[in-house]
Amino acid sequence: MMNMCAIAEMVNVCKYYGKGAGRVDALVDINLTFSKGEICVLAGPSGSGKSTLLHLLGCIDKPDQGKIIINGIDTTNKTLEKLSSLRIEKIGFVFQTFNLLPVLTAYENIELPLLFKGEDGKGVLKNRIDEVLEKVGLQDRKHHYPREMSGGQQQRVAIARALVTEPAMILADEPTANLDSKTGESIIDLLLKLNINDKVTVVISSHDSVVLDRIEKVIHIFDGRILQTRDR
Ligand code: ADP
Ligand code: MG
């Protein structure tokens, strides 16, 4: 039975890298449901499978076994190419190293996903870019290049870029790892605010105590297996 409150479901998901004796079992029999509008942290040390799990959730990669359902759509029999429209419509990514294009301004970086969608940043969409710049508190930096901004500001641009397509779900892979703890905390505050005000589902991977202290639901992963979920 499909769960109507779920934005994403993983059913008996396994992911392996390599073959034979050298095979790495990156994810083993993962069963998780992410509800619409929730915010949670996927916590585990380096190498535990956090990025792999987020890549599967974001349809950047496919599992070797099991099923992933995004917004009611079973992705199992679709190619990554076919899934790209689902990804661009429903999912926003935020990365540890921001991944902004250095030759583009903040505004132009945020416009990029709209161009991928076949829309351009003019007219109504221009307002949309200004709106997300305001949400992340960077109206006064819109014509700045990444090198002219601090790490925290660059991560805000990356969050704005993830938001501009109005995704149902934001996946943030260790978004505070390259920031000092105070700046990291402000990024978590921003993600919490977006979750509460805009009802965006947010999944953050992290092993940063600043993050674990601020977010109630924590899913612990170790060696590719879910250990426990804390939801106070
Ligand atoms: P985390 O994000 O928690 O640090 P990862 O998902 O990146 O963990 O990695 C999980 C495991 O899979 C690790 O043992 C890692 O070395 C391995 N791994 C990740 N990506 C690849 C890859 N492309 N090829 C081979 N092994 C990989
Ligand atoms: Mg990782």
Side-chain angles (χ1 to χ4, degrees):
M1 191 56 207
M2 199 184 292
N3 183 346
M4 298 307 289
C5 298
I7 180 68
E9 288 179 81
M10 306 179 88
V11 185
N12 303 123
V13 166
C14 298
K15 178 72 186 175
Y16 315 120
Y17 293 111
K19 282 200 169 71
R23 190 179 87 171
V24 174
D25 294 2
L27 294 176
V28 182
D29 204 23
I30 303 288
N31 289 284
L32 287 173
T33 299
F34 299 91
S35 303
K36 285 179 183 158
E38 81 164 293
I39 183 164
C40 64
V41 184
L42 183 64
S46 179
S48 56
K50 302 182 298 298
S51 295
T52 302
L53 197 152
L54 290 190
H55 291 168
L56 296 183
L57 260 188
C59 306
I60 291 178
D61 203 355
K62 295 200 55 161
D64 292 300
Q65 277 178 50
K67 205 150 73 166
I68 297 178
I69 300 161
I70 306 289
N71 209 33
I73 296 168
D74 186 347
T75 63
T76 310
N77 296 316
K78 297 188 195 302
T79 61
L80 284 175
E81 206 167 46
K82 280 244 170 66
L83 290 171
S84 69
S85 63
L86 180 72
R87 190 165 63 228
I88 198 103
E89 294 289 337
K90 296 285 174 218
I91 299 160
F93 272 97
V94 176
F95 303 92
Q96 178 176 341
T97 49
F98 326 134
N99 293 10
L100 300 177
L101 287 183
V103 296
L104 300 181
T105 63
Y107 185 95
E108 290 164 343
N109 267 286
I110 297 168
E111 185 183 24
L112 265 190
L114 298 175
L115 299 176
F116 278 121
K117 273 182 84 172
E119 298 165 346
D120 65 39
K122 306 215 167 66
V124 176
L125 291 166
K126 186 170 178 298
N127 296 338
R128 177 86 197 124
I129 298 174
D130 284 325
E131 197 183 298
V132 293
L133 271 163
E134 193 181 327
K135 271 189 185 155
V136 302
L138 279 183
Q139 306 91 310
D140 58 341
R141 291 289 183 278
K142 74 186 211 185
H143 300 304
H144 286 235
Y145 289 91
R147 66 171 183 278
E148 300 168 335
M149 289 182 278
S150 68
Q153 288 170 336
Q154 290 184 55
Q155 194 58 299
R156 284 171 189 274
V157 174
I159 290 170
R161 179 180 59 184
L163 271 181
V164 75
T165 54
E166 301 186 297
M169 180 162 69
I170 289 193
L171 305 176
D173 197 3
E174 303 206 41
T176 64
N178 282 30
L179 303 173
D180 63 78
S181 61
K182 192 160 164 271
T183 309
E185 206 164 338
S186 76
I187 291 297
I188 295 306
D189 285 339
L190 174 61
L191 290 170
L192 278 163
K193 192 178 87 182
L194 296 170
N195 170 255
I196 291 165
N197 295 348
D198 299 357
K199 313 276 182 288
V200 190
T201 309
V202 181
V203 182
I204 304 166
S205 88
S206 184
H207 50 236
D208 189 343
S209 63
V210 167
V211 181
L212 300 189
D213 289 347
R214 300 297 306 274
I215 294 179
E216 290 186 3
K217 182 172 172 186
V218 181
I219 300 164
H220 288 277
I221 184 170
F222 188 75
D223 270 355
R225 292 170 171 84
I226 303 301
L227 294 182
Q228 55 168 339
T229 299
R230 177 198 84 188
D231 199 354
R232 52 178 184 229

